[in-house]
Amino acid sequence: MLLAIDCGNTNTVFSIWDGTEFLCTLRTSTHHARTADAYFTWFSTLVKHYGIEMDITDVIISSTVPRVVFNLRVFADRFFGCRPVVVGKPDCALPVQPRVDEGTQVGPDRLVNTAGAYDRHGGDLIVVDFGTATTFDVVAHDGAYVGGVIAPGVNLSLEALHAAAAALPHVDVTKPQKVIGTNTVACMQSGVFWGYVGLVNGITERIRAEYEQPMKVIGTGGLAPLFAQGDLLFDHIEEDLTMHGLTVIHAHNVKG
Ligand SMILES: Nc1ncnc2c1ncn2[C@@H]1O[C@H](COP(=O)(O)OP(=O)(O)OP(=O)(O)O)[C@@H](O)[C@H]1O
Ligand SMILES: CC(C)(CO)[C@@H](O)C(=O)NCCC(=O)O
Ligand SMILES: [K+]
């Protein structure tokens, strides 16, 4: 069985893949100081809770936070006796090499999303991921990552408003009843919700114009379904896209 680990700047997600389906998906906050033993205590407790027969032989890691990789390597080695595949490291092969400016370190999560989306949909795609940042990844006809867009994340924008303006409270993102807010919270929610609907619409439209080929738009990340309520933003929404991409890259490395 494969353990796929996706470390974002905010959350780290573990998923167990038995070759056919994901048996469970576990989420914790990302902390570089968490030790291998702490990961295992948390992980084994939840796996037992869900009654899963744990038989992990392989581990693959994608991390946008370089510092967490050390303890995750120790975790894989100590508890599963394996050397993990780490996306973005020289010894991890990608199905297709990215085509970007020399010296650019593309976020591993974007490479993983690219591999997962190309496997399911073929090329000429825009993948929109609502994580700590909102990213747009352009996937070429042959499955290469060829660039994209990085915008501030939804929760980050709300936090920035709260942090910078004394009278603005902390609010959660949601679809507001009306565009014209009649209280502070409703005004902030409208700004963020309709602002991001406009951002996604505007950027995908401009990417399409620049790319000059028909493209499909795939939404992923926890907030994709919420924003899809605002407009026809996506051709598909796939919450497990990053995890799927990890299984694709792992299979590519085992085979290679
Ligand atoms: N299934 C879900 N339904 C509703 N909200 C979700 C779901 N999964 C995650 N979220 C919320 O959506 C937001 C985005 O989650 P997501 O996992 O896509 O990115 P993140 O963990 O915030 O960022 P990163 O991956 O960069 O660490 C988070 O606030 C999270 O709490
Ligand atoms: C943009 C984020 C933070 C999104 O998780 C991540 O992909 C990252 O750190 N990227 C590095 C820069 C780049 O992708 O061009
Ligand atoms: K993510």
Side-chain angles (χ1 to χ4, degrees):
M1 281 183 193
L2 173 68
L3 174 61
I5 305 177
D6 162 30
C7 293
N9 281 284
T10 310
N11 287 309
T12 296
V13 182
F14 285 51
S15 241
I16 301 177
W17 172 251
D18 73 355
T20 311
E21 59 175 345
F22 290 107
L23 301 183
C24 69
T25 294
L26 313 173
R27 180 178 279 265
T28 183
S29 56
T30 298
H31 271 301
H32 70 88
R34 186 172 292 123
T35 63
D37 295 344
Y39 279 115
F40 189 71
T41 307
W42 164 80
F43 180 73
S44 57
T45 303
L46 285 171
V47 164
K48 200 179 287 170
H49 170 82
Y50 288 117
I52 292 161
E53 205 63 53
M54 179 161 54
D55 179 22
I56 290 161
T57 51
D58 292 71
V59 177
I60 183 164
I61 300 167
S62 159
S63 180
T64 58
V65 183
R67 282 211 289 182
V68 302
V69 175
F70 175 78
N71 283 325
L72 285 171
R73 280 188 189 278
V74 176
F75 167 74
D77 175 58
R78 184 174 298 162
F79 298 104
F80 307 114
C82 78
R83 193 171 178 279
V85 173
V86 181
V87 179
K89 298 289 176 197
D91 56 357
C92 173
L94 295 171
V96 189
Q97 279 306 111
R99 290 192 289 277
V100 290
D101 297 349
E102 213 176 291
T104 299
Q105 290 280 337
V106 182
D109 52 341
R110 307 176 77 190
L111 298 173
V112 171
N113 283 344
T114 295
Y118 181 70
D119 182 68
R120 283 182 173 165
H121 302 283
D124 301 323
L125 307 174
I126 304 169
V127 181
V128 187
D129 189 338
F130 296 89
T132 307
T134 301
T135 52
F136 296 69
D137 310 324
V138 176
V139 184
H141 62 96
D142 62 344
Y145 168 88
V146 292
V149 172
I150 301 173
V154 174
N155 286 318
L156 213 55
S157 303
L158 280 167
E159 275 309 305
L161 274 180
H162 169 56
L168 298 188
H170 167 83
V171 302
D172 289 323
V173 60
T174 179
K175 185 182 176 190
Q177 303 281 331
K178 297 182 294 178
V179 179
I180 305 170
T182 50
N183 59 68
T184 307
V185 168
C187 288
M188 292 170 70
Q189 284 170 337
S190 185
V192 168
F193 183 83
W194 293 113
Y196 273 85
V197 168
L199 180 141
V200 173
N201 253 328
I203 289 178
T204 51
E205 199 174 294
R206 282 170 188 276
I207 289 174
R208 281 188 163 126
E210 200 168 281
Y211 192 79
E212 296 177 333
Q213 293 283 335
M215 303 174 95
K216 273 195 273 191
V217 183
I218 318 295
T220 190
L223 296 173
L226 175 69
F227 287 100
Q229 293 172 30
D231 206 342
L232 296 173
L233 299 177
F234 311 115
D235 295 294
H236 302 276
I237 293 179
E238 290 169 8
E239 281 196 34
D240 67 345
L241 188 66
T242 311
M243 281 300 157
H244 177 65
L246 283 170
T247 68
V248 169
I249 294 179
H250 179 262
H252 181 74
N253 278 269
V254 171
K255 180 183 71 197

